[in-house]
Amino acid sequence: MTDRPSSSLPFVTDGKGSGIIEDCGGIGGLKAVMEAFKIKAGEDYENYKDWLGRDDIDLTSFDPQEMNRNIAKRIRAFRRAF
């Protein structure tokens, strides 16, 4: 896939942060996730790591190419479903 999936599809050119984490408990939950991954130790870290399926997360980074891949993936999933 190219950087821009298609001119007929939505695409992202710029942004800030990695976005939200669904069902994390709002702003307080997001702060708890950030703190746990900053410390990288303890029960909270282990639980979040298992839940999110990753050992590390940087909620301050933004990658427009990754965002566009995610958009294209969701569009394909909706097309298959409907």
Side-chain angles (χ1 to χ4, degrees):
M1 180 175 9
T2 63
D3 292 345
R4 187 172 166 195
S6 169
S7 61
S8 64
L9 297 176
F11 64 95
V12 175
T13 59
D14 195 15
K16 182 178 178 182
S18 65
I20 62 172
I21 299 174
E22 294 291 333
D23 299 328
C24 74
I27 293 172
L30 192 57
K31 287 180 181 179
V33 170
M34 289 174 66
E35 184 64 26
F37 275 94
K38 182 179 176 183
I39 296 169
K40 294 189 182 184
E43 185 177 343
D44 286 343
Y45 171 70
E46 293 299 325
N47 289 335
Y48 291 134
K49 184 174 78 165
D50 290 344
W51 176 51
L52 296 170
R54 49 198 320 181
D55 294 338
D56 195 18
I57 190 168
D58 179 5
L59 298 174
T60 63
S61 70
F62 181 79
D63 181 354
Q65 291 177 343
E66 180 180 352
M67 189 64 66
N68 286 321
R69 284 190 296 272
N70 289 337
I71 290 170
K73 188 186 320 179
R74 287 186 174 113
I75 290 171
R76 284 191 302 271
F78 279 117
R79 284 183 177 157
R80 283 192 302 271
F82 300 100

